[in-house]
Amino acid sequence: MQLIKMQKIHHDSDILIEQELPTPSNSVLVSFKNLNVAANRFQSDLNLYVTSDSGKPLNKALISIDSASLTAVSDQSGKVCIKSLPAGRYHLDIICPGFIAKSILIYIDESGSQEIFAQLTSNIG
């Protein structure tokens, strides 16, 4: 598809005359209609398991991925499942009362399911 630009040359008694403007040979027409197709090609389900330093599953740990505007809370088995996370690099921030907060850098670069195990250290005594 080639775009042709026109310019007005002059206007004589109800007759409009237009002329084609020159098109540079290095011009490129870009369509953004399918821009997200490549970005969404690789999506992964992230399964995160949060435990204490003694191996006990942590219930109600708060997980935040700020760059993706996602938050989640671990269940009774310490598990959090985040569905369809697009390919990219993410900082997972994990907080739980009574434990030292933790930040983990993860990479999503393929489709499927990925498992991450995070162990939090107690800040009590």
Side-chain angles (χ1 to χ4, degrees), residues 3 8 25 36 41 52 61 73 79 86 95 99 104 106 124:
L3 292 178
K8 292 180 184 178
S25 60
N36 290 325
R41 181 177 303 154
S52 68
V73 176
K79 183 178 178 183
I95 58 172
F99 293 87
I104 301 172
I106 63 166
I124 300 173

Side-chain angles (χ1 to χ4, degrees), residues 63-75:
I63 290 77
S64 173
I65 305 175
D66 291 342
S67 61
S69 299
L70 293 171
T71 57
V73 176
S74 63
D75 64 13

Side-chain angles (χ1 to χ4, degrees), residues 38-91:
N40 291 330
R41 181 177 303 154
F42 296 113
Q43 291 185 343
S44 185
D45 293 343
L46 177 65
N47 295 308
L48 175 67
Y49 299 91
V50 183
T51 63
S52 68
D53 47 3
S54 65
K56 180 182 174 189
L58 292 179
N59 183 23
K60 298 183 182 175
L62 176 65
I63 290 77
S64 173
I65 305 175
D66 291 342
S67 61
S69 299
L70 293 171
T71 57
V73 176
S74 63
D75 64 13
Q76 291 179 348
S77 62
K79 183 178 178 183
V80 173
C81 183
I82 299 173
K83 299 284 188 185
S84 302
L85 193 60
R89 181 176 76 159
Y90 300 96
H91 284 277

Side-chain angles (χ1 to χ4, degrees), residues 7 9-10 12 16 20-21 23 26-27 31 37 39-40 47-48 57 65 100-101 104 112:
Q7 82 176 30
I9 300 299
H10 63 275
D12 280 332
L16 180 63
E20 185 177 325
L21 291 172
T23 306
N26 62 351
S27 63
S31 172
V37 171
N40 291 330
N47 295 308
L48 175 67
I65 305 175
I100 298 170
I104 301 172

